Amino acid sequence: MQVLAEDVRLDPVWRRAEPYMRARKNDVHIPLSFHWCRRLLAKHPEADAEICLLAILLHDIGWFAIDMDEIVAQGFRSENFLTSDVRYRHEAEGVRLAREVLADCGYGDNVIGAVCEIIDGHDTRPEPHHLNDRIVRDADKLWRYEVAGIAVAVDWFGITPSAYADQIEGELARFETEAGRAMAEAELAVTRDRLMLHVI
C-alpha cells in the first residue's frame, strides 16, 4: 500500500491508540478498514478525509474495555447481536477513548467532536448522519469481504467460511454508498475463489 502524507500525519494517533487495538482482532480489522476508507475517499473527494480516517482508525478501540468472552457471546452469537448491550458499550467506550487519544495528539474540539459523532452509534444507529459517516460505516463493513475478514469472523460466529460468505452476500444492501457495495461484491468474488468456496 502506498504511504500517503496524510497517513504519516496520523502515525502519532496510531501509536497512541495501538494498546487499544490488541482486542477482538482490531489490530487486523482496523488497518484493513483504514485501507478501504482510503479507497472510498478516492471515490468521494467531497468528503472530509481527515475526519473519516481518524474515525475509522479509532471506531472500534472501545472493544478493549470489554471481555472477549462477553464480546463473542453477546456481540456475535446472540439472537439480537447487532443491538446487544456490548455493541452500545463498545461505542460509548470508543468515544471516551477516542477523546483521550485525539486530545493527547493535539487535536482540537471541532475535530474531536466530528470524529466522536461518527464513532457514537456506528454499529447501532439506524441511519448515518452524513457522507463522512456513510464512508466510515462502509469501510467498517468492507473488511468482512476479504479473506482475512472471513478467516476471523468464522471463529466469532462459529460457522464455515462458505456459510459466512453467503451471510455477508445477503447483507450487501446495507452498504451506504454505491462504491462500497461495488467494492464488496468484487472482493467477495475474489475471496470465494481464493478460499475454494465453490468446493468447500
Side-chain angles (χ1 to χ4, degrees), residues 171-195:
E171 296 171 359
L172 287 167
R174 294 183 182 175
F175 276 86
E176 308 283 354
T177 67
E178 290 183 17
R181 189 176 305 110
M183 289 175 191
E185 289 174 345
E187 191 66 22
L188 184 57
V190 171
T191 296
R192 284 187 182 279
D193 180 61
R194 288 181 179 166
L195 294 182

PDB file of all heavy atoms in Angstrom, residues 171-195:
ATOM      1  N   GLU A 171     -26.051  -9.322   2.878  1.00  0.00           N
ATOM      2  CA  GLU A 171     -26.039  -8.031   3.564  1.00  0.00           C
ATOM      3  C   GLU A 171     -25.539  -6.891   2.685  1.00  0.00           C
ATOM      4  O   GLU A 171     -25.325  -5.777   3.162  1.00  0.00           O
ATOM      5  CB  GLU A 171     -25.166  -8.129   4.823  1.00  0.00           C
ATOM      6  CG  GLU A 171     -25.720  -9.112   5.851  1.00  0.00           C
ATOM      7  CD  GLU A 171     -24.770  -9.379   7.004  1.00  0.00           C
ATOM      8  OE1 GLU A 171     -23.646  -8.811   6.994  1.00  0.00           O
ATOM      9  OE2 GLU A 171     -25.130 -10.151   7.902  1.00  0.00           O
ATOM     10  N   LEU A 172     -25.369  -7.137   1.396  1.00  0.00           N
ATOM     11  CA  LEU A 172     -24.845  -6.105   0.503  1.00  0.00           C
ATOM     12  C   LEU A 172     -25.743  -4.871   0.441  1.00  0.00           C
ATOM     13  O   LEU A 172     -25.263  -3.754   0.254  1.00  0.00           O
ATOM     14  CB  LEU A 172     -24.644  -6.679  -0.902  1.00  0.00           C
ATOM     15  CG  LEU A 172     -23.458  -7.641  -1.044  1.00  0.00           C
ATOM     16  CD1 LEU A 172     -23.535  -8.384  -2.371  1.00  0.00           C
ATOM     17  CD2 LEU A 172     -22.131  -6.886  -0.935  1.00  0.00           C
ATOM     18  N   ALA A 173     -27.025  -5.062   0.625  1.00  0.00           N
ATOM     19  CA  ALA A 173     -27.950  -3.924   0.574  1.00  0.00           C
ATOM     20  C   ALA A 173     -27.740  -2.959   1.732  1.00  0.00           C
ATOM     21  O   ALA A 173     -28.232  -1.823   1.694  1.00  0.00           O
ATOM     22  CB  ALA A 173     -29.396  -4.421   0.573  1.00  0.00           C
ATOM     23  N   ARG A 174     -27.013  -3.367   2.754  1.00  0.00           N
ATOM     24  CA  ARG A 174     -26.761  -2.491   3.909  1.00  0.00           C
ATOM     25  C   ARG A 174     -25.677  -1.453   3.653  1.00  0.00           C
ATOM     26  O   ARG A 174     -25.476  -0.563   4.482  1.00  0.00           O
ATOM     27  CB  ARG A 174     -26.372  -3.325   5.134  1.00  0.00           C
ATOM     28  CG  ARG A 174     -27.493  -4.220   5.632  1.00  0.00           C
ATOM     29  CD  ARG A 174     -27.075  -4.946   6.875  1.00  0.00           C
ATOM     30  NE  ARG A 174     -28.113  -5.849   7.349  1.00  0.00           N
ATOM     31  CZ  ARG A 174     -27.970  -6.671   8.371  1.00  0.00           C
ATOM     32  NH1 ARG A 174     -26.825  -6.691   9.037  1.00  0.00           N
ATOM     33  NH2 ARG A 174     -28.949  -7.466   8.736  1.00  0.00           N
ATOM     34  N   PHE A 175     -24.973  -1.567   2.527  1.00  0.00           N
ATOM     35  CA  PHE A 175     -23.931  -0.581   2.253  1.00  0.00           C
ATOM     36  C   PHE A 175     -24.563   0.775   2.014  1.00  0.00           C
ATOM     37  O   PHE A 175     -25.637   0.891   1.419  1.00  0.00           O
ATOM     38  CB  PHE A 175     -23.063  -1.021   1.073  1.00  0.00           C
ATOM     39  CG  PHE A 175     -21.972  -1.960   1.484  1.00  0.00           C
ATOM     40  CD1 PHE A 175     -22.208  -3.319   1.564  1.00  0.00           C
ATOM     41  CD2 PHE A 175     -20.727  -1.475   1.847  1.00  0.00           C
ATOM     42  CE1 PHE A 175     -21.221  -4.197   1.982  1.00  0.00           C
ATOM     43  CE2 PHE A 175     -19.732  -2.336   2.269  1.00  0.00           C
ATOM     44  CZ  PHE A 175     -19.964  -3.697   2.344  1.00  0.00           C
ATOM     45  N   GLU A 176     -23.866   1.808   2.469  1.00  0.00           N
ATOM     46  CA  GLU A 176     -24.375   3.173   2.413  1.00  0.00           C
ATOM     47  C   GLU A 176     -24.027   3.882   1.110  1.00  0.00           C
ATOM     48  O   GLU A 176     -24.641   4.883   0.767  1.00  0.00           O
ATOM     49  CB  GLU A 176     -23.799   3.988   3.577  1.00  0.00           C
ATOM     50  CG  GLU A 176     -23.969   3.356   4.949  1.00  0.00           C
ATOM     51  CD  GLU A 176     -25.362   3.492   5.505  1.00  0.00           C
ATOM     52  OE1 GLU A 176     -26.186   4.187   4.884  1.00  0.00           O
ATOM     53  OE2 GLU A 176     -25.627   2.900   6.568  1.00  0.00           O
ATOM     54  N   THR A 177     -23.005   3.386   0.403  1.00  0.00           N
ATOM     55  CA  THR A 177     -22.574   4.016  -0.842  1.00  0.00           C
ATOM     56  C   THR A 177     -22.551   2.988  -1.965  1.00  0.00           C
ATOM     57  O   THR A 177     -22.323   1.796  -1.723  1.00  0.00           O
ATOM     58  CB  THR A 177     -21.158   4.619  -0.702  1.00  0.00           C
ATOM     59  OG1 THR A 177     -20.203   3.566  -0.518  1.00  0.00           O
ATOM     60  CG2 THR A 177     -21.084   5.602   0.457  1.00  0.00           C
ATOM     61  N   GLU A 178     -22.765   3.457  -3.179  1.00  0.00           N
ATOM     62  CA  GLU A 178     -22.675   2.569  -4.336  1.00  0.00           C
ATOM     63  C   GLU A 178     -21.258   2.044  -4.499  1.00  0.00           C
ATOM     64  O   GLU A 178     -21.052   0.875  -4.845  1.00  0.00           O
ATOM     65  CB  GLU A 178     -23.121   3.298  -5.601  1.00  0.00           C
ATOM     66  CG  GLU A 178     -24.607   3.597  -5.652  1.00  0.00           C
ATOM     67  CD  GLU A 178     -25.020   4.258  -6.954  1.00  0.00           C
ATOM     68  OE1 GLU A 178     -24.241   4.200  -7.937  1.00  0.00           O
ATOM     69  OE2 GLU A 178     -26.115   4.833  -6.998  1.00  0.00           O
ATOM     70  N   ALA A 179     -20.281   2.894  -4.246  1.00  0.00           N
ATOM     71  CA  ALA A 179     -18.885   2.475  -4.360  1.00  0.00           C
ATOM     72  C   ALA A 179     -18.573   1.361  -3.365  1.00  0.00           C
ATOM     73  O   ALA A 179     -17.906   0.377  -3.718  1.00  0.00           O
ATOM     74  CB  ALA A 179     -17.956   3.665  -4.122  1.00  0.00           C
ATOM     75  N   GLY A 180     -19.046   1.499  -2.141  1.00  0.00           N
ATOM     76  CA  GLY A 180     -18.808   0.466  -1.131  1.00  0.00           C
ATOM     77  C   GLY A 180     -19.423  -0.862  -1.512  1.00  0.00           C
ATOM     78  O   GLY A 180     -18.792  -1.915  -1.374  1.00  0.00           O
ATOM     79  N   ARG A 181     -20.638  -0.815  -2.010  1.00  0.00           N
ATOM     80  CA  ARG A 181     -21.312  -2.042  -2.422  1.00  0.00           C
ATOM     81  C   ARG A 181     -20.563  -2.722  -3.571  1.00  0.00           C
ATOM     82  O   ARG A 181     -20.353  -3.937  -3.570  1.00  0.00           O
ATOM     83  CB  ARG A 181     -22.753  -1.743  -2.818  1.00  0.00           C
ATOM     84  CG  ARG A 181     -23.607  -2.982  -3.065  1.00  0.00           C
ATOM     85  CD  ARG A 181     -25.057  -2.618  -3.371  1.00  0.00           C
ATOM     86  NE  ARG A 181     -25.628  -1.802  -2.323  1.00  0.00           N
ATOM     87  CZ  ARG A 181     -25.931  -0.501  -2.459  1.00  0.00           C
ATOM     88  NH1 ARG A 181     -25.747   0.113  -3.611  1.00  0.00           N
ATOM     89  NH2 ARG A 181     -26.438   0.169  -1.451  1.00  0.00           N
ATOM     90  N   ALA A 182     -20.128  -1.940  -4.540  1.00  0.00           N
ATOM     91  CA  ALA A 182     -19.396  -2.490  -5.679  1.00  0.00           C
ATOM     92  C   ALA A 182     -18.069  -3.107  -5.234  1.00  0.00           C
ATOM     93  O   ALA A 182     -17.680  -4.185  -5.703  1.00  0.00           O
ATOM     94  CB  ALA A 182     -19.154  -1.410  -6.725  1.00  0.00           C
ATOM     95  N   MET A 183     -17.379  -2.439  -4.325  1.00  0.00           N
ATOM     96  CA  MET A 183     -16.122  -2.979  -3.801  1.00  0.00           C
ATOM     97  C   MET A 183     -16.352  -4.291  -3.063  1.00  0.00           C
ATOM     98  O   MET A 183     -15.580  -5.241  -3.193  1.00  0.00           O
ATOM     99  CB  MET A 183     -15.457  -1.966  -2.871  1.00  0.00           C
ATOM    100  CG  MET A 183     -14.893  -0.756  -3.567  1.00  0.00           C
ATOM    101  SD  MET A 183     -14.243   0.449  -2.348  1.00  0.00           S
ATOM    102  CE  MET A 183     -13.974   1.867  -3.398  1.00  0.00           C
ATOM    103  N   ALA A 184     -17.418  -4.350  -2.284  1.00  0.00           N
ATOM    104  CA  ALA A 184     -17.726  -5.568  -1.530  1.00  0.00           C
ATOM    105  C   ALA A 184     -18.031  -6.729  -2.464  1.00  0.00           C
ATOM    106  O   ALA A 184     -17.547  -7.861  -2.264  1.00  0.00           O
ATOM    107  CB  ALA A 184     -18.902  -5.314  -0.598  1.00  0.00           C
ATOM    108  N   GLU A 185     -18.821  -6.479  -3.489  1.00  0.00           N
ATOM    109  CA  GLU A 185     -19.166  -7.533  -4.447  1.00  0.00           C
ATOM    110  C   GLU A 185     -17.915  -8.063  -5.138  1.00  0.00           C
ATOM    111  O   GLU A 185     -17.737  -9.281  -5.274  1.00  0.00           O
ATOM    112  CB  GLU A 185     -20.161  -7.008  -5.479  1.00  0.00           C
ATOM    113  CG  GLU A 185     -21.556  -6.772  -4.918  1.00  0.00           C
ATOM    114  CD  GLU A 185     -22.479  -6.116  -5.928  1.00  0.00           C
ATOM    115  OE1 GLU A 185     -21.975  -5.579  -6.953  1.00  0.00           O
ATOM    116  OE2 GLU A 185     -23.697  -6.127  -5.703  1.00  0.00           O
ATOM    117  N   ALA A 186     -17.061  -7.157  -5.577  1.00  0.00           N
ATOM    118  CA  ALA A 186     -15.839  -7.566  -6.268  1.00  0.00           C
ATOM    119  C   ALA A 186     -14.907  -8.332  -5.341  1.00  0.00           C
ATOM    120  O   ALA A 186     -14.328  -9.361  -5.717  1.00  0.00           O
ATOM    121  CB  ALA A 186     -15.130  -6.340  -6.839  1.00  0.00           C
ATOM    122  N   GLU A 187     -14.756  -7.850  -4.107  1.00  0.00           N
ATOM    123  CA  GLU A 187     -13.852  -8.506  -3.155  1.00  0.00           C
ATOM    124  C   GLU A 187     -14.379  -9.878  -2.757  1.00  0.00           C
ATOM    125  O   GLU A 187     -13.605 -10.825  -2.603  1.00  0.00           O
ATOM    126  CB  GLU A 187     -13.655  -7.631  -1.918  1.00  0.00           C
ATOM    127  CG  GLU A 187     -12.540  -8.087  -1.007  1.00  0.00           C
ATOM    128  CD  GLU A 187     -11.160  -7.967  -1.641  1.00  0.00           C
ATOM    129  OE1 GLU A 187     -10.993  -7.177  -2.585  1.00  0.00           O
ATOM    130  OE2 GLU A 187     -10.239  -8.669  -1.161  1.00  0.00           O
ATOM    131  N   LEU A 188     -15.681 -10.003  -2.599  1.00  0.00           N
ATOM    132  CA  LEU A 188     -16.251 -11.296  -2.227  1.00  0.00           C
ATOM    133  C   LEU A 188     -16.018 -12.326  -3.333  1.00  0.00           C
ATOM    134  O   LEU A 188     -15.749 -13.504  -3.043  1.00  0.00           O
ATOM    135  CB  LEU A 188     -17.739 -11.166  -1.932  1.00  0.00           C
ATOM    136  CG  LEU A 188     -18.429 -12.441  -1.442  1.00  0.00           C
ATOM    137  CD1 LEU A 188     -17.765 -12.989  -0.174  1.00  0.00           C
ATOM    138  CD2 LEU A 188     -19.914 -12.187  -1.198  1.00  0.00           C
ATOM    139  N   ALA A 189     -16.102 -11.924  -4.582  1.00  0.00           N
ATOM    140  CA  ALA A 189     -15.840 -12.854  -5.687  1.00  0.00           C
ATOM    141  C   ALA A 189     -14.402 -13.370  -5.619  1.00  0.00           C
ATOM    142  O   ALA A 189     -14.148 -14.578  -5.796  1.00  0.00           O
ATOM    143  CB  ALA A 189     -16.110 -12.173  -7.023  1.00  0.00           C
ATOM    144  N   VAL A 190     -13.467 -12.483  -5.339  1.00  0.00           N
ATOM    145  CA  VAL A 190     -12.062 -12.878  -5.204  1.00  0.00           C
ATOM    146  C   VAL A 190     -11.891 -13.826  -4.024  1.00  0.00           C
ATOM    147  O   VAL A 190     -11.209 -14.855  -4.112  1.00  0.00           O
ATOM    148  CB  VAL A 190     -11.163 -11.636  -5.031  1.00  0.00           C
ATOM    149  CG1 VAL A 190      -9.737 -12.022  -4.667  1.00  0.00           C
ATOM    150  CG2 VAL A 190     -11.179 -10.796  -6.301  1.00  0.00           C
ATOM    151  N   THR A 191     -12.519 -13.493  -2.912  1.00  0.00           N
ATOM    152  CA  THR A 191     -12.405 -14.307  -1.699  1.00  0.00           C
ATOM    153  C   THR A 191     -12.993 -15.698  -1.906  1.00  0.00           C
ATOM    154  O   THR A 191     -12.399 -16.710  -1.494  1.00  0.00           O
ATOM    155  CB  THR A 191     -13.105 -13.594  -0.528  1.00  0.00           C
ATOM    156  OG1 THR A 191     -12.407 -12.376  -0.260  1.00  0.00           O
ATOM    157  CG2 THR A 191     -13.122 -14.450   0.726  1.00  0.00           C
ATOM    158  N   ARG A 192     -14.146 -15.773  -2.543  1.00  0.00           N
ATOM    159  CA  ARG A 192     -14.755 -17.090  -2.817  1.00  0.00           C
ATOM    160  C   ARG A 192     -13.803 -17.954  -3.640  1.00  0.00           C
ATOM    161  O   ARG A 192     -13.665 -19.155  -3.386  1.00  0.00           O
ATOM    162  CB  ARG A 192     -16.084 -16.914  -3.553  1.00  0.00           C
ATOM    163  CG  ARG A 192     -17.240 -16.460  -2.671  1.00  0.00           C
ATOM    164  CD  ARG A 192     -18.553 -16.481  -3.471  1.00  0.00           C
ATOM    165  NE  ARG A 192     -19.692 -16.023  -2.719  1.00  0.00           N
ATOM    166  CZ  ARG A 192     -20.371 -16.778  -1.852  1.00  0.00           C
ATOM    167  NH1 ARG A 192     -20.018 -18.029  -1.624  1.00  0.00           N
ATOM    168  NH2 ARG A 192     -21.417 -16.273  -1.218  1.00  0.00           N
ATOM    169  N   ASP A 193     -13.149 -17.337  -4.620  1.00  0.00           N
ATOM    170  CA  ASP A 193     -12.216 -18.085  -5.465  1.00  0.00           C
ATOM    171  C   ASP A 193     -11.008 -18.549  -4.659  1.00  0.00           C
ATOM    172  O   ASP A 193     -10.593 -19.718  -4.724  1.00  0.00           O
ATOM    173  CB  ASP A 193     -11.782 -17.203  -6.634  1.00  0.00           C
ATOM    174  CG  ASP A 193     -10.806 -17.906  -7.563  1.00  0.00           C
ATOM    175  OD1 ASP A 193     -11.186 -18.941  -8.137  1.00  0.00           O
ATOM    176  OD2 ASP A 193      -9.660 -17.419  -7.693  1.00  0.00           O
ATOM    177  N   ARG A 194     -10.419 -17.650  -3.884  1.00  0.00           N
ATOM    178  CA  ARG A 194      -9.210 -17.987  -3.136  1.00  0.00           C
ATOM    179  C   ARG A 194      -9.457 -19.040  -2.070  1.00  0.00           C
ATOM    180  O   ARG A 194      -8.584 -19.880  -1.787  1.00  0.00           O
ATOM    181  CB  ARG A 194      -8.630 -16.725  -2.482  1.00  0.00           C
ATOM    182  CG  ARG A 194      -7.999 -15.786  -3.476  1.00  0.00           C
ATOM    183  CD  ARG A 194      -7.413 -14.566  -2.821  1.00  0.00           C
ATOM    184  NE  ARG A 194      -6.800 -13.690  -3.813  1.00  0.00           N
ATOM    185  CZ  ARG A 194      -6.437 -12.448  -3.590  1.00  0.00           C
ATOM    186  NH1 ARG A 194      -6.612 -11.920  -2.377  1.00  0.00           N
ATOM    187  NH2 ARG A 194      -5.886 -11.719  -4.536  1.00  0.00           N
ATOM    188  N   LEU A 195     -10.623 -19.019  -1.462  1.00  0.00           N
ATOM    189  CA  LEU A 195     -10.937 -19.985  -0.412  1.00  0.00           C
ATOM    190  C   LEU A 195     -11.629 -21.231  -0.936  1.00  0.00           C
ATOM    191  O   LEU A 195     -12.043 -22.085  -0.146  1.00  0.00           O
ATOM    192  CB  LEU A 195     -11.812 -19.317   0.667  1.00  0.00           C
ATOM    193  CG  LEU A 195     -11.136 -18.195   1.480  1.00  0.00           C
ATOM    194  CD1 LEU A 195     -12.096 -17.657   2.528  1.00  0.00           C
ATOM    195  CD2 LEU A 195      -9.847 -18.689   2.138  1.00  0.00           C
TER     196      LEU A 195
END
